[in-house]
Structure formats: C-alpha cells, structure tokens
Amino acid sequence: MAEDPTNLQGRAGLPDDLLFLLRKYPRQEWQAHENVHGMASFWLQRHAMFRDLGGLLTTAIGDYREGQTTAPEFANFFAPRLQFFLGQLDGHHNVEDQHYFPVFARVEARLKRGFDILDGDHHTIHDALEANAESANGFLNALQESQDKQRFAADAYADQNTRLVAMLARHLDDEEDLIIPLILDRGDRELGIG
Ligand SMILES: [Fe+2]
Ligand SMILES: [Fe+2]
C-alpha cells in the first residue's frame, strides 16, 4: 500500500512528484549555491535551532531518568527551555502558514499540494505540542511527589516527547526539501521575500 503523505508519523518523506526541484538542487549542494545567503540560510538556522533544542530536551529527560540529575535540577533546567521551545515553534509555524507558504504556492503551483501537506503537519504538531505541555506539567508537578509517581510521570512524558521530536524531525526535513530548492531556484528577490 502506498504511504499516506499526510501522515506525519508514517511517511518516510514527501511524494516523488513534489521533489523535482530537490533532484535539481540536492541537499549536499545547498551551502555552495549563491542563493543560499539570505532567507534560505535563515530558514536552515531556525530549523537547526529547533533540532538542537529538541535534542537538548531529550538528553535532559534521559539524564534525569538515569539519576544523573536531581528532580529540582532537572526542573530548573528543563521548564524554561521547554517553554521557549514550544513558544518559538508555534510562532515559526504561524509565520510559515500565514505568510510564506501562500507566497511560495503562488510562485510554484506545482508545489501547492506540498505546502498543504506541511500546513497539515503544523496542525498535527500543534496538537502534539499541547499534549506535550500538558504531560510536561504533570511531570513537573509530580517532582514534588513520591518516587513512584515521579517515575510514572517521567515515563509518560518521555514517550510524549520522543513522539513529538520524531514528528518534528520528519517535518523539518520535508519542509527543507520543498522550500530550500525553490529559494535556490528563484532567489529571494523573485520570490518577494528578500
Ligand atoms: Fe513548518
Ligand atoms: Fe519551518
């Protein structure tokens, strides 16, 4: 059975017919292209920041679960970073949906379906962010309680976070595959984003 491209947790990438520009501009050539300076670089940097922060949060949970940090140490480190991560991600998606995706879809109508898929991803991720914030709160509250309760909440939260980080990684890769080749092909000025 063909994989469902709208299923962020099940797909291995965007459908082939949306990747014609990626075939023209393969990932390993992006950094050497003259049009990478400007919006493309900015985009890649934002995504790198989300990947780094996601990794940092995952590592912090792992360290706590292995007993390398105490509950208060963990909470002090984790809570503000999680809040920053969730807020930045939400803002980033809003700008993409409301500003950039409509512009890109107008310029290259053949990629319209791709931007619809990415827009759908944002909703999926948004729901996961809300679930994440809820179980994070449950977890942080449980740090005041018994060891058993802490462990249970830590497990629930770690699962939730692993799921979110995996979805986000898939989305960031796919979004770059669609957007960066388009920017390299047309340049910021032609796209009206420079
Ligand atoms: Fe996105
Ligand atoms: Fe993005």
Side-chain angles (χ1 to χ4, degrees):
M1 206 172 73
E3 77 183 18
D4 174 5
T6 63
N7 180 359
L8 181 56
Q9 292 178 80
R11 70 176 191 242
L14 289 173
D16 251 14
D17 63 303
L18 294 172
L19 299 177
F20 56 94
L21 283 175
L22 179 66
R23 285 190 285 274
K24 195 169 163 190
Y25 302 96
R27 206 168 253 271
Q28 64 271 21
E29 294 171 17
W30 290 354
Q31 289 305 333
H33 196 285
E34 60 176 354
N35 284 344
V36 79
H37 309 293
M39 197 42 92
S41 279
F42 173 72
W43 217 296
L44 291 168
Q45 277 164 23
R46 291 291 288 163
H47 283 189
M49 192 272 282
F50 289 125
R51 286 187 183 96
D52 286 352
L53 209 46
L56 200 69
L57 295 175
T58 303
T59 305
I61 297 169
D63 287 351
Y64 167 71
R65 293 178 82 193
E66 285 165 20
Q68 292 180 35
T69 45
T70 64
E73 280 169 352
F74 170 78
N76 283 337
F77 178 87
F78 191 81
R81 284 168 183 80
L82 177 73
Q83 203 167 25
F84 177 78
F85 182 63
L86 301 182
Q88 290 287 312
L89 207 50
D90 218 33
H92 179 69
H93 290 168
N94 280 335
V95 175
E96 290 178 340
D97 287 340
Q98 281 159 32
H99 183 63
Y100 290 108
F101 290 177
V103 171
F104 293 154
R106 256 198 312 277
V107 170
E108 182 45 272
R110 288 174 298 173
L111 296 182
K112 165 94 171 66
R113 189 165 74 96
F115 292 110
D116 289 343
I117 292 171
L118 295 175
D119 189 314
D121 290 351
H122 290 165
H123 295 287
T124 306
I125 293 170
H126 186 85
D127 290 346
L129 291 179
E130 286 190 342
N132 189 278
E134 218 167 280
S135 60
N137 280 333
F139 181 24
L140 294 170
N141 288 334
L143 296 179
Q144 325 287 337
E145 300 190 37
S146 68
Q147 288 289 337
D148 264 9
K149 281 195 174 156
Q150 284 188 29
R151 184 122 332 261
F152 184 78
D155 286 344
Y157 183 63
D159 288 349
Q160 189 76 248
N161 197 68
T162 304
R163 206 175 126 251
L164 173 65
V165 169
M167 283 199 291
L168 188 63
R170 176 78 271 144
H171 172 75
L172 294 175
D173 280 357
D174 290 348
E175 190 171 279
E176 289 167 5
D177 285 348
L178 205 66
I179 285 173
I180 304 300
L182 179 63
I183 298 178
L184 298 183
D185 196 61
R186 309 297 165 92
D188 288 1
R189 207 167 332 150
E190 190 188 321
L191 289 170
I193 56 172

